[in-house]
Amino acid sequence: MAKRKNNSETKLEQLEDRFFANSIDMLCFLDFNGHFKRLNPAWERTLGFTREELMSRPFIEFVHPDDRERTLKQNADVRAGGKALAFENRYLCKNGSYRWFRWNAAPDSAEKVIYSVARDITESKRAEEERERLVTELQAALAEVKALQSILPICSYCRKIRDDENYWHTVEDYLSLRTTTLFSHGICPSCMDAHGVSHALMNDTLPR
């Protein structure tokens, strides 16, 4: 009976080891002193460092400098009994580039270790940044079009206005087609003087 139990435990351990070795995501044990104790092969495939290289230095040295402060805070929260859920940061690759990881982690206080799984989300981050860039460019283009639409092309000589279909209209016609404005005509004082129109004649022509 004991032998059968030992065989079952051995098979379970072998199954767990195979799961650890074949997982697409990055699995790790991180001790409370900040060093990796065990890593699965996905780390080597993703970052290019060997597992020995990754375990030889404090984990924080592989984190992007801009992400270290909040990563250390998250690590402290987990060591205190909390959990990391969908925490994101960037990790250094051996070629000098960085990749985005999304983490879930929980502590084992008795063993003073953190069990973690990380997923490489670099491509989705790049797609998100590209979408944001396109949206920004589209908003800028729409703002430019709106600004252009507020400019009326007007002839420097006859003062007619060109519409969107490339037809030219008098100011009165253009505004009448687009607004409820009504026009009454008169002659301003400067035009009266320029064209020799007398005030008396002007008064005679005005409606009574």
Side-chain angles (χ1 to χ4, degrees), residues 45-49 91-99 126:
R45 294 193 299 267
T46 304
L47 297 181
F49 291 105
Y91 261 69
L92 176 68
C93 297
K94 194 161 188 176
N95 64 8
S97 64
Y98 284 88
R99 299 195 71 82
R126 287 173 180 167

Side-chain angles (χ1 to χ4, degrees), residues 52-203:
E52 289 74 18
E53 288 174 318
L54 290 165
M55 290 187 288
S56 68
R57 295 154 55 185
F59 86 96
I60 197 64
E61 292 186 14
F62 295 97
V63 176
H64 192 289
D66 293 344
D67 298 340
R68 288 181 183 177
E69 182 177 353
R70 59 188 185 84
T71 298
L72 288 172
K73 182 179 182 304
Q74 178 68 80
N75 178 262
D77 290 343
V78 174
R79 284 188 282 111
K83 293 180 180 180
L85 299 174
F87 178 78
E88 296 179 1
N89 63 5
R90 288 163 289 183
Y91 261 69
L92 176 68
C93 297
K94 194 161 188 176
N95 64 8
S97 64
Y98 284 88
R99 299 195 71 82
W100 278 99
F101 288 175
R102 179 177 290 139
W103 293 84
N104 289 322
D108 184 339
S109 299
E111 296 295 330
K112 294 188 180 302
V113 68
I114 298 172
Y115 304 118
S116 304
V117 55
R119 175 162 293 183
D120 185 354
I121 59 168
T122 306
E123 297 308 318
S124 62
K125 278 285 187 180
R126 287 173 180 167
E128 180 182 338
E129 290 173 358
E130 179 65 12
R131 284 194 299 270
E132 291 177 356
R133 184 186 66 81
L134 291 174
V135 168
T136 300
E137 290 181 356
L138 179 59
Q139 289 174 338
L142 290 174
E144 184 177 354
V145 168
K146 186 175 181 180
L148 289 174
Q149 287 177 337
S150 66
I151 299 173
L152 290 177
I154 187 168
C155 177
S156 300
Y157 292 95
C158 69
R159 299 302 180 186
K160 287 184 177 180
I161 298 173
R162 189 185 68 205
D163 64 16
D164 295 336
E165 297 179 354
N166 209 32
Y167 289 105
W168 293 88
H169 303 270
T170 63
V171 174
E172 294 93 332
D173 289 343
Y174 187 89
L175 294 178
S176 295
L177 290 170
R178 291 161 177 79
T179 69
T180 58
T181 303
L182 298 176
F183 292 90
S184 64
H185 292 83
I187 303 176
C188 70
S190 59
C191 287
M192 289 175 62
D193 294 338
H195 295 282
V197 179
S198 68
H199 289 272
L201 178 61
M202 184 65 188
N203 289 333

